[in-house]
Amino acid sequence: MGVDTLSPIAPARVRALLLPIGKIKRARFLSFVERLSPEHVVLLGDISPDARPNRNMFSPLAFPTGMIVYDLTTSLPPPSHLALSPFELHRQPLAIIAIADGKELDPEYTQMRQDHEHQGPDVQARQRYVRELDQGLEIVRDRYPKALVHQLLIFDYIHPSASANLPDGLIAVPPTSASKTTTIKTVMCEISSLLLAEMTTLAKSFQGMKTIQSPNSDKGARQANGYSWSTNSENRGNTQSPYPGSRGDSPTGKHDRSLVRMSLPVLRRGTSDTSRPDSTSRPTTPLDGSGPAAESSSPDNAALSRAAKSDSFRQHSRDRISVQGFGSGSSSELSRNKGQGRIGVTIGSLYLQAGRWADALRELVEGASIAKVNGDHLWHAKALELILVSMLMLAWGGHDFQIPQICYTSAEKSAYDTPPATLLERPSPNSSRLVSLQNLCGILPEYLSKVLNLYDRASNRAGESVPQLSFSENAARFSKLLTSVHLAGGKLHDEVLQHIVLGTPFSQPANVDLPRLNIYPTRAAIMAIVLRAHPMSASLDDISIIDRTIILGAIASVFGELGYHRKKAMIMRDLVSVLIPGLIQARVVGAAEMGIHPAAGLSSINAINGSKNGVGSLELGEGDVENGVDDLLGLIGRIYGVVTSKTTLSEAKSHTITDRSVDSDQAVVARIMCHAKLRAFGGQNIKMNVLRACINLAEALPDFQGALRFAADLLRTAGSGVAPGPRSEDASPAMARDEQLRLSIIIARTVSTGKTLGLHHLAAEYWDEFLVRGVDLETQIPSRIPIHHRATELGSRAAIRMPKENNPFIYNPFSRKPGAVTGGGLLVAGESATFKVTLQNPYEFDLEIESVRLEAAGADFNSLVQSTVIGPYRTQILAVSGTPNAAGSLTITGCVVKVRGCRERRFPIFSEPWAPQAEIKIKRTGLKAASGDALDVRLSSHSATEQAVPQSTEPKPTSLVLNVTEKQPVLVVKSCSLSQAAVMILEGERQIFSVTLQNLSNTTAADLLLFSFQDSTQASLQAALDNRNASPAELYEYELILFRKQAIRWVSRGDGPPYIPPGGTASFDFEILGKPGLTHAGVQVDYAYLGIPVSEVKEDFYTRQVSTTLTVTVNASVELVRLDVLPLSGDMPGKIWPGGLPASKSKSADDYCLVMMDMRNAWPNHLQVSLSVSEDSTIEDDILPGNTSRIIFPIRRIFLENPYAQITTLDPARQRQFVVSTDRISPDSERSTRETFWYREAILKFLSGKWKTISGPARYGVIEMRAIRLSPRMVEAIKVEPIGIELSIDGDTVHSEDKQTYHVRADEFLRLKARIINRTAHAVCPILRIQPSLRHHLYHHSLDLSKKLIWDGTLQRTIPIIPARDSTEVTFGLISLCRGQFEISASVEEAKLLEELETAVDHGEVGRPRGDSRAFLDTVLGARERRMWHSREPCVLDVDDAERDSDEDT
């Protein structure tokens, strides 16, 4: 039975030793003990008294309502406890109960046969076994001679009634199924009857003594008194009955016991006159109101106090006068009186154990009075202690009692505050039980202090000092008694008595967290008493390790019940320090008894004892370490605020939480926040010292799991608990490097030893929650990265699959590089990917990672397992591969890591630095800051979290979100038709090469192939396009070269869309163009598997890219060195026309201009050049290597509707409404630039050239004509004016050789016709001016036409508005008065500017209002002004006299 050995009523118990005998299994023995335990309290009224008159001193009839309380134990007290008897009789086992298994008598008979008269063939064997049990009982009697009763109980056995009676001392106990409710109680009553009878003999032996030695007296003297636990046979007669045969041979005795036994169940009776003490002999005295003296509050001070008192009493003893001789004051009389008092106290203790508490109270009061008078302080204190126990037992039994006068304080001072007067009442003979309890409760602190002070006084005399064990246990019992009263609100009632006697817990626990200043006894008074129980000053010789451990445990229990958790932890630390050397000694002794070395014999001891948890060397139960020591050490850690892996109360009390929930993101964050709170609580050095002690205790047990747990907790507590950044907090632990190494070795060694012993489940909890600092997807090779596309992007690139010309400025979504893809990473189902896992080790020892694998959610994912070793104080990147098995969304949430010596667990990803923030408002103090709701966070709700730590300070676990696509093909470039992927080409030349692609996938085909191209000229051109200072003409030129003249293009073979089957190959043709600056080029293939036609694709898809690079060398071929344009006048000779002028065609010089072009052959071979100057005209010429050839040919002059139009861009993305040069140029320059640009573009539309080699390898190409540059003079020669002026002369005698020269006669009427042609799209309001002049004269003389030429009207006339693309004719009368040559020119000037009406307005259309475009154009090109046009060639008038003409005619 697990009773409290330090219970306040322990002296009232009868210790009974339960021993197994015969063949019995441990489990069966423990089950029989459990059947006896509920009946450990026996009512005296149920006990049959002994019929012998000399055995009725403790007759139950004298006090039938009393009770015997048994302390059923299965272990023999140590010799140090037995040596205290008879000073403390409750330590001695007065009854030996041997337990046998009835099934071992007759296996067949134990089948619960109902025929009890059965006489089988095994009766003799059963009788033989009974005799063996009887002989075993005799051996027990010989081994334990000082016990008063020796009984043997045969459980699960039904003795046949026809058989002979069982020997004396043997009792058969039927099985549970055949037992009654009173069977076990009847057995205990029979044992109690024998015990009470034998107590008479023991009491008479005490009465026959002169005195009883104190516990610290000479051991030989105590043995001479006849009280020894030796095994000699002659000593057994001192305690055994002097009539050994009378109890078994007298049937009368049995008959008498059956007659007087009370019926069951027992009815409570009142107290008889014989059992009630005489109240008249015990006058009461009220308590004085004097204040108590101060006592020490620590064990050391208590010891010093007792020593000081001893010196003080010795000083007083020197002043005394020694009186020797005879009489009442002689030393012999004093010794005789002391002996009587001691014998009375001993007899009183026997009455107390016998359940006759009233008689015990009477005897103890007498003994206390004698001891007090004779100065026997030790026995005086013991008597007062037992008096208190007697009163408690009387109160528990429901009896009225009176507090003896000797219990009240007289002149002695106490160290405690006097309770209020309401708690104390003057006792009277008619006081009731409740009043007595109230009075007893009021004097308890002073009374108990008085007892302890008497024990201290006894130490002044040699041989009379109380043993440290007894003193400490008494102080512990007193403190427990006061604690029970305090927890009950300072009252002593029935519930408190039940708690004190039977250990029944209170129905409503007291709230010790609130102040309890008005409750007596106060907690300070209780603390002062319990600290006196501390055996710190005692050596191991005075008190054993086991006793010291029990006492320290009792002190810690008292502190815990009072709410002093820190003081409790301090005592528990002392307890741990006491246990360690004791455990080591026990380990050494156990190994020595088995003949093995203690250092190397752990596995042998465990193997012998069949232990599986490493505690076999101490013969502990399988769950003793986990349920006892582990909880003890864990409690110490929680009180001191140790940063342990069991951070929540639910985890610490229950292990039902699964590993997945414990390692979830929410639980890990909660654990981190709790660790941060625990690190801020208490002192770190104290925590570390506590954990070091726990490790030492676990190693001394040995407790493998405990050693692992506390070693990991020590590393965790010493750590900083932060996630350091690159340049942030110092994360190094507050521990020396050597100790860190030692702890890592302890963990590794413990796990290795456990595996050797077959304990494969041993593992520590890793000490750093921030192990995983990041998981990133390793950058894949560009050819394996999937690129996301929308379904609409296929329409924009459908034309790429055909070799025809396309719009190069439509956005090409397939030109993106894989590295430019934004968003989450992309994986392909069935293909392995590599992840970079960043691990940190903030400690200064190598961390061995046995396994690391990724944990993913979403799509099915398989991760490979990697291992590594992380160096001290660093972060390390580890490559871990994984393969997604299905398409969908994939999230990498963390890593499952197995650190050597630690359990495999999941770690979230903490990529951001984090450090705890100090709380601004302190809401909890004391242990509340590290326990209760502060520890039980976030696994159940978030409210506690928000109260404890702000949400913003929590670390944020991150995850890696990926997208997994369906299985895709894998293409590689197998071969290229170009040798070493290099080619030499001439400018303008085109060559075709082929590339062969192979599909490495054996399951997926490539049914979508899109081609894109890159070359070395694109970068420079793109940079030029990005230049904001470039003019619009330059931007146009860059865009044309970049997008219209691509270096490479795909040449389709016309066999349908590209397709590569699984595991197959396919070849594709490409054409390369020689461009200046081309050094390398690349072919990029975007491919995918769609499974459906392109037109039916409605969802997003992914492609991959494979590319090949070519090295290109471009050499010069034909260079355009120089270009010039000249105007023509008169008739154009036919020789200058390519191929000669056809006879049927005559060409006017006004319609053409002359072009001179110089071309140079830069290639070392002979080249032939072919120029196309019109639709039906071609010029060919041969150019030798290194020579330059000039080619002259006419071209038709060009009319442009709007030569000042805006220069547009070819790229729609760059298109703006108005693009002008960024430089500050004049409007005239802007007009000139635009005019030059548009006339150059008009020439290039019909002018082209080609070349081919005549010698050497056959090569051919085109001539780059865009090198042409025009000057303003060339533009004037090429352009046709928007307003044309044609002059002609008409008359009777007029004849002309050409359209410009006319021959007329003088004094004849001539008609000058001026035809004005409007070639523009707008009407013109002109003014015509005729300018005649003398030919071949200076300018100021040529205008002197007086008396030479007359005309009709004025030479300046306003002409009606000429509509768009129309003409008008004006006629002037003209007469030449003399012969000669005249030149007539004309000019047309706008008379006024006509507003351009909008077509939409004319048609009545209404749209959005146009911007102020005219104002912008006026800014760029200047304000619109009146224009003027002049005739291209003057009209020549050759005038002759009429007489001369006639003479010439004749």
Side-chain angles (χ1 to χ4, degrees), residues 751-815:
V751 173
S752 177
T753 305
K755 290 181 179 179
T756 304
L757 300 176
L759 306 176
H760 299 283
H761 65 281
L762 290 178
E765 188 72 19
Y766 186 65
W767 41 88
D768 183 18
E769 299 292 343
F770 298 99
L771 176 62
V772 180
R773 294 304 309 278
V775 176
D776 299 312
L777 180 63
E778 181 74 24
T779 303
Q780 305 180 43
I781 58 177
S783 61
R784 295 295 183 94
I785 300 178
I787 304 175
H788 176 261
H789 298 280
R790 295 184 177 89
T792 56
E793 296 177 2
L794 280 176
S796 63
R797 290 298 295 171
I800 299 179
R801 303 173 61 148
M802 304 304 295
K804 66 179 182 180
E805 186 73 18
N806 55 33
N807 189 347
F809 301 106
I810 296 178
Y811 169 67
N812 181 11
F814 298 92
S815 63

Side-chain angles (χ1 to χ4, degrees), residues 1045-1066:
K1045 296 185 177 182
Q1046 299 179 0
I1048 301 178
R1049 67 186 184 94
W1050 172 48
V1051 180
S1052 177
R1053 296 180 180 180
D1055 52 356
Y1059 178 81
I1060 304 178
T1065 59

Side-chain angles (χ1 to χ4, degrees), residues 5-6 15 76-84 91 467-470 472-473 476 533-535 538-555 575 578-579:
T5 58
L6 297 181
R15 178 163 294 183
L76 182 67
S80 60
H81 288 220
L82 297 175
L84 296 177
R91 299 182 183 275
Q468 181 64 41
L469 172 63
S470 179
S472 297
E473 287 190 354
H534 199 290
S539 62
L540 291 178
D541 296 336
D542 297 335
I543 182 172
S544 65
I545 294 177
I546 297 178
D547 295 334
R548 187 186 297 259
T549 302
I550 296 175
I551 294 172
L552 291 177
I555 298 175
L575 174 61
V578 169
L579 286 175

Side-chain angles (χ1 to χ4, degrees), residues 223-530:
Q223 290 180 352
N225 290 333
Y227 201 81
S228 174
W229 271 76
S230 64
T231 56
N232 296 332
S233 60
E234 61 254 22
N235 291 334
R236 186 165 57 90
N238 296 331
T239 59
Q240 198 69 15
S241 172
Y243 311 102
S246 60
R247 296 184 62 86
D249 299 336
S250 174
T252 307
K254 295 181 181 180
H255 178 71
D256 294 339
R257 286 196 301 270
S258 62
L259 290 178
V260 299
R261 176 166 297 166
M262 296 177 60
S263 61
L264 299 176
V266 181
L267 297 176
R268 181 157 300 189
R269 302 179 181 178
T271 305
S272 61
D273 295 339
T274 57
S275 62
R276 183 185 301 269
D278 188 5
S279 59
T280 58
S281 63
R282 294 169 180 81
T284 59
T285 305
L287 295 174
D288 57 0
S290 61
E295 283 286 342
S296 175
S297 60
S298 64
D300 292 338
N301 293 337
L304 294 176
S305 176
R306 290 196 298 268
K309 292 180 181 179
S310 176
D311 295 340
S312 175
F313 277 104
R314 290 191 185 97
Q315 184 66 27
H316 288 296
S317 63
R318 296 191 189 101
D319 298 336
R320 294 172 183 171
I321 300 175
S322 177
V323 179
Q324 297 184 5
F326 299 95
S328 59
S330 63
S331 59
S332 59
E333 181 66 19
L334 183 63
S335 298
R336 187 165 49 253
N337 293 336
K338 284 184 179 181
Q340 292 178 359
R342 293 180 179 183
I343 293 173
V345 172
T346 305
I347 298 300
S349 65
L350 285 176
Y351 275 115
L352 183 62
Q353 290 179 304
R356 294 176 57 175
W357 305 315
D359 296 332
L361 184 61
R362 183 186 64 253
E363 295 292 336
L364 291 172
V365 168
E366 292 181 4
S369 301
I370 296 174
K372 179 179 180 182
V373 171
N374 294 279
D376 194 356
H377 304 302
L378 179 62
W379 290 84
H380 180 198
K382 175 56 64 177
L384 293 178
E385 174 191 349
L386 297 179
I387 288 173
L388 176 61
V389 175
S390 300
M391 290 188 292
L392 292 176
M393 298 303 292
L394 285 171
W396 172 66
H399 305 286
D400 294 337
F401 67 94
Q402 295 179 4
I403 301 177
Q405 180 62 33
I406 197 172
C407 296
Y408 289 95
T409 304
S410 56
E412 292 85 2
K413 299 295 183 180
S414 176
Y416 309 100
D417 297 335
T418 303
T422 56
L423 297 180
L424 300 178
E425 294 185 7
R426 187 181 187 89
S428 62
N430 299 324
S431 297
S432 65
R433 172 175 171 270
L434 296 179
V435 175
S436 299
L437 284 176
Q438 185 177 2
N439 293 337
L440 179 61
C441 180
I443 67 172
L444 265 181
E446 294 177 337
Y447 183 81
L448 297 178
S449 176
K450 174 182 178 181
V451 174
L452 294 179
N453 291 336
L454 288 175
Y455 279 129
D456 285 337
R457 290 184 184 180
S459 61
N460 298 325
R461 297 183 181 181
E464 296 295 328
S465 62
V466 63
Q468 181 64 41
L469 172 63
S470 179
F471 182 84
S472 297
E473 287 190 354
N474 287 331
R477 293 190 186 100
F478 297 163
S479 61
K480 284 192 173 186
L481 175 60
L482 294 176
T483 301
S484 300
V485 176
H486 178 83
L487 295 179
K491 299 179 181 179
L492 192 60
H493 45 72
D494 292 337
E495 186 178 7
V496 178
L497 294 174
Q498 289 289 337
H499 176 72
I500 293 173
V501 177
L502 300 180
T504 305
F506 291 107
S507 59
Q508 185 176 1
N511 186 6
V512 295
D513 295 333
L514 300 177
R516 304 172 66 88
L517 302 178
N518 297 326
I519 298 178
Y520 293 90
T522 62
R523 287 190 286 188
I526 301 174
M527 183 179 64
I529 290 180
V530 74

Side-chain angles (χ1 to χ4, degrees), residues 1296-1308:
S1296 63
E1297 299 176 356
D1298 53 28
K1299 292 182 179 182
Q1300 282 78 28
T1301 305
Y1302 294 90
H1303 298 277
V1304 298
R1305 293 179 181 180
D1307 300 330
E1308 289 186 1

Side-chain angles (χ1 to χ4, degrees), residues 1095-1110:
S1095 60
E1096 299 180 5
V1097 175
K1098 304 300 181 183
E1099 299 179 353
D1100 296 355
F1101 64 98
Y1102 297 88
T1103 63
R1104 282 178 168 173
Q1105 292 181 356
V1106 62
S1107 61
T1108 180
T1109 304
L1110 305 178

